[in-house]
């Protein structure tokens, strides 16, 4: 296919038509709004708030430096993902890329992996919102039953907003991202000033093993230091969510790839600065390490209860924004697979409301799945399922990089679109090596065994449905809609 210039909305609409679809979703997302989608999914403040305690008790304060390695590695992955997003800007991201560049059967596998991750992710984010941010904010004592009821209420509110308007979703995310950026910067500056004035804190914290000083197997495979890597791996994911909304983005050939890479870079830098200032400000490592919410405790010690409450308000809003982004991304994936007749109840799930221009049945499905998980699963099983969801994106990203390496010479090159040029091969190889390391880090600990079994179970469930399609609806897996060569040269 000959090169074509990128020309904003019209060119984006043409890519949908070349894909064999009608432009049913409304293009309302500008460049910053697309960036906000990916950044809200990553949510640095939320990720650090939820995992900093684990770093302190498994690796000690020095474990924060593994964030740098994770940030660099995830940036390499984002660069490869952006290469594909710049060439096939269709809802469904990796599902579409694999379907059109490998085969519909391979694409279905990508889609199922991503669906499992996102569907679980909605519940994980909203349950954390309830238990770690909202309940402490309003003074509710820790209680699993109460947290589940609040989670269900949050899911319902997010569903109503998601089906009402993508524009409203983007406005909420833009506000959440703006608040989060301001929070991280202001808190970092305030902590540095407070430490400088009071002297409560120490630069030595940055190299301290803290409560893990004499822990056995600290440097072993699956040991304390390695476990600290999970903070970065669990936080710096979901940047490809912008690609799931590519059919709602203006000038997707430029805005989506930039959002994918920019969100990881911004999150990596801001997260590291936040971690350094938090760690410097610790005045009693054993006490802070034993606290269930060390970030809030550090804020309370140095900046007072009022700032702690402000933090919890901002964190709650950031959690909400991240949750709604995951829900919308998952709904778009279900919609994308359904319009190709490759998802259960696809005739219903592919419907787009003509007034709101949103896939209402697909969005309601995500809500229903969340309700089922909240009501049916006991606490331990829910926790293991959420932990398992951190493994799924590593598998998906690794598979995406392998796909890119296999087809990169056949990809269409669009003038003005995101392109790594001669650096694409070394970047992709380094990204693949990194994803293998990340996957090893996630599955190596003994505690990960149950999570690995859950992932295998989810893949087997998908395999049963896939075999059913091969038997009863093979045609849906045999061909792609639209111009088969539209995104190749």
């Amino acid at each position: 296919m000959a090169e074509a210039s990128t020309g904003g909305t019209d060119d984006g609409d043409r890519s949908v038509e070349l894909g064999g679809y009608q432009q049913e979703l409304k293009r309302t997302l500008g460049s910053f709004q697309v960036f906000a989608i990916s950044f809200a999914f990553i949510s640095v403040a939320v990720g650090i708030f939820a995992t900093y305690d684990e770093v302190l008790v498994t690796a000690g304060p020095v474990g924060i430096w593994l964030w740098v390695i994770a940030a660099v590695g995830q940036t390499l992955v984002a660069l490869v993902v952006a290469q594909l997003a710049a060439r096939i800007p269709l809802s469904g991201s990796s599902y579409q890329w694999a379907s059109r560049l490998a085969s519909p059967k391979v694409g279905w596998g990508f889609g199922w992996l991503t669906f499992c991750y996102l569907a679980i992710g909605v519940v994980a984010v909203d349950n954390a919102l309830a238990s770690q941010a909202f309940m402490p904010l309003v003074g509710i004592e820790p209680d699993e039953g109460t947290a589940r009821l609040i989670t269900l209420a949050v899911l319902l509110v997010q569903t109503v907003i998601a089906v009402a308007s993508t524009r409203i979703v983007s406005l909420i995310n833009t506000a959440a991202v703006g608040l989060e950026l301001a929070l991280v910067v202001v808190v970092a500056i305030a902590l540095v000033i407070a430490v400088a004035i009071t002297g409560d804190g120490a630069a030595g914290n940055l190299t301290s093993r803290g409560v893990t000083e004499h822990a056995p197997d600290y440097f072993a495979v699956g040991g304390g230091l390695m476990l600290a890597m999970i903070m970065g791996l669990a936080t710096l994911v979901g940047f490809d969510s912008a690609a799931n909304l590519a059919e709602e983005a203006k000038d997707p050939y430029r805005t989506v790839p930039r959002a994918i890479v920019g969100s990881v870079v911004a999150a990596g830098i801001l997260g590291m600065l936040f971690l350094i200032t938090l760690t410097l400000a610790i005045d009693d490592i054993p006490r802070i390490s034993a606290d269930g919410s060390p970030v809030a405790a550090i804020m309370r010690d140095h900046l007072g209860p009022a700032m702690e409450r402000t933090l919890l308000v901002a964190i709650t809003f950031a959690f909400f924004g991240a949750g709604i982004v995951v829900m919308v991304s998952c709904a778009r994936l279900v919609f994308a697979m359904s319009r190709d007749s490759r998802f259960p109840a696809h005739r219903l799930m592919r419907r787009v409301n003509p007034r709101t221009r949103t896939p209402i049945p697909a969005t309601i499905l995500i809500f229903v799945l969340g309700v089922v998980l909240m009501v049916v699963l006991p606490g331990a099983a829910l926790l293991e399922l959420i932990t398992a969801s951190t493994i799924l994106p590593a598998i998906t990203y690794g598979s995406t990089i392998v796909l890119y390496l296999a087809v990169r010479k056949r990809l269409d090159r669009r003038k003005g679109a995101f392109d790594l040029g001669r650096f694409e091969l070394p970047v992709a190889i380094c990204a693949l090596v990194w994803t293998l390391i990340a996957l090893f880090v996630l599955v190596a600990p003994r505690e990960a065994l149950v999570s690995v079994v859950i992932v295998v179970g989810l893949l087997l469930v998908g395999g049963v449905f896939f075999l059913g399609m091969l038997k009863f609806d093979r045609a849906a897996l045999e061909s792609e809609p639209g111009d088969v060569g539209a995104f190749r040269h």
Side-chain angles (χ1 to χ4, degrees):
M1 181 177 173
E3 284 188 350
S5 62
T6 53
T9 301
D10 291 341
D11 209 29
D13 290 347
R14 183 169 177 271
S15 69
V16 176
E17 294 170 1
L18 288 172
Y21 311 117
Q22 293 181 339
Q23 181 65 46
E24 297 180 86
L25 304 175
K26 190 174 182 180
R27 291 194 183 275
T28 59
L29 304 177
S31 57
F32 183 78
Q33 292 166 320
V34 176
F35 167 82
I37 293 291
S38 285
F39 191 87
F41 195 123
I42 295 173
S43 194
V44 169
V46 168
I48 292 176
F49 188 85
T51 58
Y52 189 59
D53 58 336
E54 288 296 320
V55 173
L56 292 180
V57 299
T58 59
V62 72
I64 66 169
W65 295 108
L66 292 177
W67 176 278
V68 176
I69 299 174
V72 172
Q74 295 300 85
T75 299
L76 292 172
V77 176
L79 287 168
V80 178
V81 171
Q83 289 279 99
L84 289 165
R87 290 162 173 77
I88 307 179
L90 298 173
S91 293
S93 59
S94 60
Y95 157 71
Q96 289 282 7
W97 306 335
S99 295
R100 295 176 183 278
L101 299 175
S103 74
K105 297 181 181 68
V106 174
W108 188 92
F110 275 70
W112 179 254
L113 278 172
T114 307
F115 168 73
C116 290
Y117 164 57
L118 293 175
I120 298 169
V122 177
V123 176
V125 172
D126 288 349
N127 190 243
L129 182 159
S131 61
Q132 298 181 35
F134 183 77
M135 290 173 65
L137 174 64
V138 298
I140 299 176
E141 291 298 317
D143 179 75
E144 184 180 328
T146 303
R148 290 187 182 228
L149 288 174
I150 295 172
T151 301
L152 292 175
V154 172
L155 279 168
L156 180 60
V157 173
Q158 290 171 332
T159 302
V160 171
I161 294 172
V163 301
S165 170
T166 301
R167 183 171 179 78
I168 295 175
V169 171
S170 69
L171 289 173
I172 290 173
N173 282 320
T174 299
V177 167
L179 180 62
E180 185 173 350
L181 289 170
L183 172 74
V184 170
V185 173
V186 170
V187 168
I189 294 173
L191 285 175
V192 169
I193 293 173
V195 170
I197 293 175
T198 65
D200 295 333
N205 292 345
L206 297 175
T207 57
S208 171
R209 285 176 54 177
V211 297
T212 70
E213 184 65 39
H214 302 292
D217 301 325
Y218 181 80
F219 295 102
V221 173
L225 186 62
M226 179 183 287
L227 288 174
M229 180 82 77
I230 294 176
M231 177 170 64
L233 294 177
T235 302
L236 300 172
V237 295
F239 43 82
D240 52 322
S241 56
N244 261 332
L245 277 74
E247 291 178 32
E248 293 157 270
K250 300 174 183 177
D251 194 7
Y253 287 101
R254 290 190 180 93
T255 59
V256 172
R258 290 173 182 173
I260 290 170
V261 177
S263 61
V264 180
V265 172
I269 294 173
L270 286 172
M272 193 67 250
L273 292 175
F274 194 37
L275 286 169
I276 289 173
T277 53
L278 283 173
T279 305
L280 282 172
I282 298 176
D283 62 349
D284 186 338
I285 292 177
R287 178 177 63 83
I288 294 298
S289 299
D291 195 289
S293 183
V295 177
I298 293 169
M299 296 276 291
R300 183 170 60 250
D301 288 348
H302 289 279
L303 306 175
M307 183 57 77
E308 179 192 7
R309 291 185 65 81
T310 301
L311 169 70
L312 289 174
V313 170
I315 289 292
T316 299
F317 192 37
F319 265 120
F320 186 85
I324 201 169
V325 165
V326 182
M327 175 178 283
V328 170
S329 296
C330 192
R332 296 315 184 267
L333 175 65
V334 171
F335 161 74
M337 295 181 71
S338 296
R339 66 182 174 183
D340 293 337
S341 302
R342 296 172 190 161
F343 198 84
H346 58 83
R347 290 182 179 83
L348 175 63
M349 295 300 151
R350 67 176 297 169
R351 293 180 184 173
V352 173
N353 185 278
R355 185 177 64 83
T356 64
R357 304 281 291 276
T358 57
I360 293 180
T363 307
I364 293 175
L365 171 67
I366 311 307
F367 169 73
V368 171
L369 289 174
V371 171
V372 170
L373 291 176
M374 279 288 100
V375 173
V376 173
L377 289 181
L382 180 63
L383 180 61
E384 293 291 354
L385 182 65
I386 290 172
T387 304
S389 71
T390 62
I391 299 173
L392 291 169
I395 298 174
T396 303
Y397 291 147
S399 301
T400 300
I401 296 167
V402 170
L403 170 70
Y404 180 76
L405 286 169
V407 304
R408 66 185 184 86
K409 292 183 179 180
R410 294 188 279 117
L411 286 174
D412 182 29
R413 307 283 171 170
R414 299 185 60 86
K415 184 179 179 181
F418 182 88
D419 194 344
L420 289 175
R422 66 179 183 273
F423 296 106
E424 64 174 352
L425 183 58
V427 167
I429 292 173
C430 290
L432 180 59
V433 172
W434 162 250
T435 55
L436 293 174
I437 294 172
L439 191 58
F440 177 76
V441 169
L442 291 168
V443 303
R446 291 187 298 272
E447 298 85 349
L449 178 60
V450 175
S451 298
V452 171
V453 172
I454 291 174
V455 170
V456 172
L458 291 172
L459 296 179
L460 290 176
V461 170
V464 171
F465 178 73
F466 181 78
L467 291 175
M469 288 190 65
L470 286 177
K471 182 174 179 61
F472 300 108
D473 193 13
R474 179 180 288 270
L477 294 172
E478 295 293 341
S479 62
E480 280 295 302
D483 183 354
V484 176
F487 306 105
R488 307 178 186 182
H489 67 73

